[in-house]
Amino acid sequence: MESPFRLLVYTIVTIAIIGLIYILLAPILFPVEDNIDAINKSLKASETGLGKSFPVELFVQEGEGFAGETFDSKFRNVVFQCNSASLCCPREKDCDLAIEWDNRILQFNKQTTVLTTTRCDREFDLSTCTIYAGIDPAQVEINSVKSDEEFNLNQSLPKFEISFSNTGSQKAEQTEIEIKIFQRYLEDGRWIEKVVENSKESLTLGSLEPGKSTEATVTVNLNQNGEFKAKIRVSGLEAGFAEKVVQFSAIGAGDVCLPAYCDKPSFSNQVCTTRCHCQDCMSGTVCSELLLKADNLDLGLHPDINLKNATPSILGSNIVDMALLANMCPSDITLKEPSAVAGEIGFKVKNIAGNPIQNSFKVNAYLDQQNIGSVDVLPNEIDEDSEVIKSIIVDLSPGTYSVRLAANEDKTEKEDDYANNSVEVEVIIPVPSESEANMFENPTNIGPCCGLPFELIGGFVSDSGTSITLREAISQGKMRADFVADGLGINARMQNLTADKLKVRIPLGQIYVEKTRQAQNLGSAWKDRVIEMPMCGVWIGSTSNACLNRFKNLPSFHKYDVGEIIQDQSVISALIQGDQSRVWNSIDTVSLASNSYGNEGNILAPVPTDLMNKLEFTTEECQAAGLGIIPTCDTWEPLDYTDLLYPDLITDPDSIDPAYCTKP
C-alpha cells in the first residue's frame, strides 16, 4: 500500500507534467490563424448586419497580436478600440496590463481570454469596421415605433413614438434619432420612392446607461398627400445604429395636385408618345385631366405639339403617357444591342421612323456627362427601317463603368433629344494580368547604369534632415516615377536620375491625383515616409493611404499624378488615425468639395520610369560612386570601342570580359 507522502509526490509530478504539456501545446491547440479566421468571420457578419455588434471570444497567447492590414481589403477598412480599464493600456502607451494598442495594432502582453466585438458601417463601396477588445461596447437597439397608419394633415402632422435601449456594456454617448420621409408612388406597375424635401428631422438625446431604455416622440413636417415611408435611424457615438421602416398615408394637405412637365416625344411601339408627369396627385385620372388642359410651354413642350387631342394612358398617380400624331416625332434614331469588349463599345444604329434621315449625325459616348468618344453616322447608312453596326473606342483605366451612348442628330426645332436615342452600356476594362502587375514590382530587361543593371531597392529610412519632398524631387527633375493604386495602397516605382544618393520624403497628407478623375484621389496616411536611393538606384514599394472622394470609385490599378499636400489639420488628424470614415467626415466637415478634393493646385505628372534604356553618367561619376566597371577576359578580339557599353572604362584590352568582346 502506497504511503500518503508518495501519493502526494505522484500527484504533484502529474500536475506538473500536465501543466508542461498544456504550455507546450497551447500555441498548437489555439493558433493565431484560428483567431484571425474567427475575427474575419465576425467581420463578414458585421458587413451584412450593418450597425450591429457581433461578439467573438478569443484565447490569445502572450506576444500574439493583430494588425489592421491583416483584415483590410479593397472594400474594407479596419480600426481597433480597446475599452476595458482592467485589460487595456492607454492608447499608444506601454504598460503592464494585458493589451497594448493603437488604432491599427492590438498587442497581447499576457495569455488570456479576451472578448472581441466587430461592428461595421458602409460608405458607398467601402465597409468601415471597428474591432473592439475588452468588453461589449455600447449598442443601441430599437424596441418599438408607434404611429398612425393615416394622418390627416388638416388636423396634425405625422409623429412617431420611438423606444430604444442600450444593450451593450458601456454607456452610449450622443444618442440621436433621425427620420427621413420618402414618397411612394406607382410607375409602370412598380413602386417608386423619392425623398421628400425638407422633411428630415433629428433629435439628440444625450447618453444612455447600459441596459437602460428611453423614449422620445418626433414630429415631421409634411405638406403632401399620398403614400409615404418613414426611415427611422437611432445611433450613438461608438454605439452602432439600428433602423426601422414605417409606412403611412397622408390626406388633407389641400388641392396641391399640379401638372409638372413632359418628356420630349419619342416613338414607343411605333406610336409617337410623350411621357408627362404631375406633382402630388392622388389619382392618375386627375393628373391626366390637368395635363390635357395645361399650356404646352409650361410643360416644356414645343408650341407645335398639342396635347388637347392626345390619347392618355395612365401609368400611375403622377405619370401619364400621351399618344400624339405621328408628325410630332419626325424621325427616330434608336441605339440597340450595345456591348463592350475592353475599351471598344459596339452597337447598332437603326432608323425606325417613317421619314428618311436627312443629315449625318454623331453618336457620342458619355461618362458622368463627359464626352469620351464619338463616331459619325451617314444618312445613306440607315435608310428607312435599316440599321448599321458602329463602334467607339474609349480610353479608360481598369474598372467597371456605366457609359451612356446618345445619337445627337441635327434635328428640327421640335426636338433636341429622344429618350430612346440614348442607351446605357457597361464597360469593363480588365485589371492587368497577374504577370503584368508582377512586372511592375519585379521589372525585367533592366538596362545599364554605369555598366551595371539598375539596383532595385525597397524599404524606408529615417530622415536625417537631408531629404527633399516628393514634389521637389519631381519638379527639380531628380527622379522619374510611376504611381499605381489598387485599393488604398500606392504602389510606387521611383528612379534616381542624379549622380549621388537621393533621399526623398513622402509627407503625411501627400495627395495622389487619379489621372482620369474617375477613381478616388488618395492621401498619404499614418506618418511621413522617407526613402533613399543610391546612384543608379530604383525604389519599388508601397505606402498606406486613405480615399479622399467619397462619391467616386475605389482605385483598381489606376495611374496617379502627384498633387498638393493637405493643410487642414482635421483631415491630417484623421489621416494619422488611418480611419477611412473619419477622413471622409473631416473633409465634409471643413466644407471641402469632397467630390473633387485634391484636384486643385499644382498637379505634377512625373516622367515615367525607363528601366530598359541606359542612364548616362560620365566615367568619373560612375567611378566616384564605386560603380565603374573594368571588364576582364583572357582573349581580346579587336573591335570598335563605340560598340561597347562603356568603352572609356576599358583600361586593359587584354583582360576584357567575353560579353564585351563581341559586338551587340
Side-chain angles (χ1 to χ4, degrees):
M1 185 174 179
E2 301 289 348
S3 68
F5 180 79
R6 180 170 296 179
L7 288 174
L8 177 62
V9 172
Y10 289 164
T11 301
I12 294 172
V13 172
T14 301
I15 292 172
I17 293 173
I18 292 173
L20 181 60
I21 292 174
Y22 178 82
I23 292 172
L24 293 174
L25 294 182
I28 299 174
L29 296 173
F30 306 100
V32 175
E33 288 75 13
D34 286 354
N35 288 336
I36 291 175
D37 184 58
I39 293 177
N40 270 320
K41 289 179 179 178
S42 185
L43 284 169
K44 290 179 180 178
S46 298
E47 289 174 310
T48 302
L50 297 176
K52 298 180 180 179
S53 297
F54 288 84
V56 56
E57 194 170 76
L58 305 179
F59 180 79
V60 295
Q61 299 292 330
E62 180 180 350
E64 187 176 335
F66 306 121
E69 288 84 353
T70 304
F71 308 105
D72 286 345
S73 71
K74 285 176 59 175
F75 305 106
R76 180 200 294 160
N77 176 252
V78 170
V79 295
F80 295 110
Q81 286 267 6
C82 197
N83 58 7
S84 169
S86 62
L87 292 176
C88 307
C89 298
R91 188 175 68 183
E92 299 182 359
K93 300 293 185 181
D94 297 339
C95 75
D96 295 330
L97 296 179
I99 306 175
E100 295 178 7
W101 68 286
D102 60 29
N103 279 16
R104 296 287 287 175
I105 293 176
L106 277 181
Q107 181 70 38
F108 300 99
N109 296 331
K110 300 175 182 179
Q111 183 186 79
T112 185
T113 298
V114 61
L115 176 67
T116 61
T117 305
T118 62
R119 186 163 57 206
C120 295
D121 199 352
R122 193 179 305 280
E123 293 279 357
F124 297 91
D125 292 333
L126 186 68
S127 294
T128 55
C129 302
T130 301
I131 300 175
Y132 299 89
I135 62 175
D136 191 24
Q139 177 65 57
V140 293
E141 296 284 352
I142 296 177
N143 301 327
S144 64
V145 176
K146 297 179 181 179
S147 69
D148 296 335
E149 294 183 358
E150 182 179 87
F151 293 96
N152 188 333
L153 301 181
N154 270 329
Q155 300 174 1
S156 65
L157 292 173
K159 64 179 181 180
F160 305 88
E161 298 177 9
I162 302 154
S163 169
F164 68 94
S165 304
N166 176 10
T167 61
S169 300
Q170 288 188 301
K171 182 189 293 186
E173 302 286 357
Q174 300 179 26
T175 60
E176 182 183 39
I177 299 174
E178 180 182 274
I179 300 180
K180 291 183 180 179
I181 304 298
F182 299 80
Q183 186 174 23
R184 305 172 68 243
Y185 57 92
L186 279 171
E187 182 175 312
D188 290 339
R190 60 191 182 96
W191 285 101
I192 304 297
E193 296 179 353
K194 67 175 182 180
V195 176
V196 178
E197 298 295 333
N198 302 318
S199 67
K200 179 180 175 181
E201 293 291 343
S202 61
L203 178 64
T204 301
L205 298 174
S207 61
L208 185 62
E209 295 292 334
K212 298 295 183 180
S213 299
T214 188
E215 295 181 356
T217 299
V218 181
T219 301
V220 298
N221 183 34
L222 185 64
N223 190 29
Q224 298 179 24
N225 296 327
E227 299 293 327
F228 298 91
K229 179 182 81 173
K231 184 177 181 180
I232 300 165
R233 177 184 174 110
V234 177
S235 62
L237 180 64
E238 300 296 345
F241 62 88
E243 294 178 335
K244 192 174 183 64
V245 171
V246 176
Q247 294 184 8
F248 65 95
S249 60
I251 61 173
D255 186 14
V256 295
C257 175
L258 296 172
Y261 65 93
C262 294
D263 297 331
K264 290 185 173 68
S266 63
F267 276 97
S268 176
N269 297 323
Q270 300 185 346
V271 176
C272 183
T273 304
T274 178
R275 178 161 293 183
C276 298
H277 305 263
C278 294
Q279 179 178 337
D280 301 330
C281 292
M282 295 289 290
S283 165
T285 301
V286 175
C287 172
S288 174
E289 292 173 352
L290 291 173
L291 289 167
L292 292 172
K293 298 175 183 178
D295 184 275
N296 294 355
L297 295 179
D298 291 340
L299 296 173
L301 294 171
H302 191 274
D304 292 344
I305 299 176
N306 191 342
L307 289 186
K308 289 181 172 55
N309 297 320
T311 303
S313 177
I314 298 172
L315 301 179
S317 57
N318 283 285
I319 183 167
V320 179
D321 272 357
M322 295 289 185
L324 307 172
L325 298 176
N327 61 0
M328 296 296 100
C329 295
S331 61
D332 190 9
I333 303 301
T334 299
L335 303 179
K336 301 169 52 183
E337 302 174 23
S339 62
V341 178
E344 183 171 6
I345 305 172
F347 53 91
K348 291 181 179 179
V349 186
K350 186 173 183 177
N351 172 20
I352 63 172
N355 297 328
I357 304 300
Q358 301 296 327
N359 303 304
S360 62
F361 60 92
K362 289 183 180 294
V363 177
N364 294 321
Y366 294 96
L367 180 62
D368 296 334
Q369 299 183 345
Q370 180 179 356
N371 191 316
I372 58 173
S374 65
V375 65
D376 290 313
V377 181
L378 304 178
N380 60 357
E381 291 183 295
I382 49 170
D383 294 329
E384 182 180 347
D385 202 32
S386 64
E387 63 187 26
V388 64
I389 297 176
K390 290 288 185 176
S391 68
I392 299 174
I393 296 177
V394 296
D395 183 15
L396 297 171
S397 298
T400 300
Y401 305 89
S402 180
V403 175
R404 183 175 67 88
L405 304 176
N408 295 327
E409 181 195 2
D410 292 334
K411 297 181 172 64
T412 67
E413 292 181 357
K414 205 170 295 183
E415 50 184 341
D416 298 318
D417 195 8
Y418 285 120
N420 56 342
N421 279 353
S422 179
V423 65
E424 299 281 337
V425 59
E426 184 179 75
V427 179
I428 300 176
I429 307 297
V431 176
S433 65
E434 184 176 344
S435 60
E436 187 175 353
N438 185 58
M439 284 293 293
F440 183 89
E441 301 177 1
N442 302 283
T444 57
N445 299 322
I446 299 176
C449 179
C450 290
L452 300 172
F454 293 107
E455 182 181 357
L456 305 181
I457 59 174
F460 302 96
V461 299
S462 60
D463 190 355
S464 59
T466 60
S467 66
I468 60 176
T469 66
L470 179 64
R471 289 182 60 85
E472 290 171 339
I474 294 173
S475 61
Q476 295 172 16
K478 294 186 176 182
M479 60 178 262
R480 299 185 183 130
D482 296 289
F483 301 102
V484 176
D486 189 17
L488 300 181
I490 280 285
N491 299 310
R493 191 162 68 189
M494 292 179 267
Q495 181 180 18
N496 182 6
L497 302 180
T498 71
D500 201 352
K501 290 182 179 178
L502 180 63
K503 185 179 286 189
V504 178
R505 178 170 57 88
I506 303 173
L508 170 70
Q510 173 66 65
I511 296 174
Y512 298 93
V513 181
E514 200 274 317
K515 285 181 177 289
T516 67
R517 307 302 192 267
Q518 301 305 317
Q520 300 209 32
N521 293 339
L522 301 176
S524 182
W526 310 121
K527 59 182 179 180
D528 290 3
R529 293 290 193 181
V530 181
I531 66 170
E532 185 177 86
M533 293 176 283
M535 179 181 174
C536 297
V538 176
W539 188 89
I540 299 177
S542 62
T543 60
S544 296
N545 301 275
C547 290
L548 303 179
N549 313 100
R550 164 194 311 268
F551 300 104
K552 291 188 178 181
N553 296 326
L554 293 176
S556 178
F557 217 83
H558 286 70
K559 298 180 180 179
Y560 280 74
D561 292 329
V562 176
E564 301 285 355
I565 299 171
I566 295 173
Q567 301 298 321
D568 188 274
Q569 290 304 306
S570 64
V571 181
I572 289 293
S573 177
L575 287 171
I576 291 174
Q577 301 300 324
D579 186 334
Q580 179 61 74
S581 61
R582 293 185 184 179
V583 172
W584 279 332
N585 290 335
S586 298
I587 289 174
D588 291 345
T589 300
V590 297
S591 300
L592 298 172
S594 59
N595 195 36
S596 60
Y597 187 63
N599 285 358
E600 294 79 19
N602 180 18
I603 298 173
L604 302 178
V607 177
T609 57
D610 183 4
L611 306 187
M612 295 182 63
N613 294 317
K614 179 170 62 177
L615 193 61
E616 296 284 358
F617 290 106
T618 66
T619 301
E620 291 75 18
E621 289 172 332
C622 293
Q623 290 179 333
L627 298 177
I629 62 168
I630 303 177
T632 60
C633 69
D634 297 327
T635 61
W636 165 248
E637 296 291 335
L639 50 84
D640 185 356
Y641 274 17
T642 61
D643 288 332
L644 299 178
L645 293 175
Y646 282 84
D648 51 344
L649 294 179
I650 299 175
T651 58
D652 182 7
D654 293 328
S655 58
I656 296 180
D657 186 88
Y660 291 82
C661 295
T662 57
K663 295 184 179 181

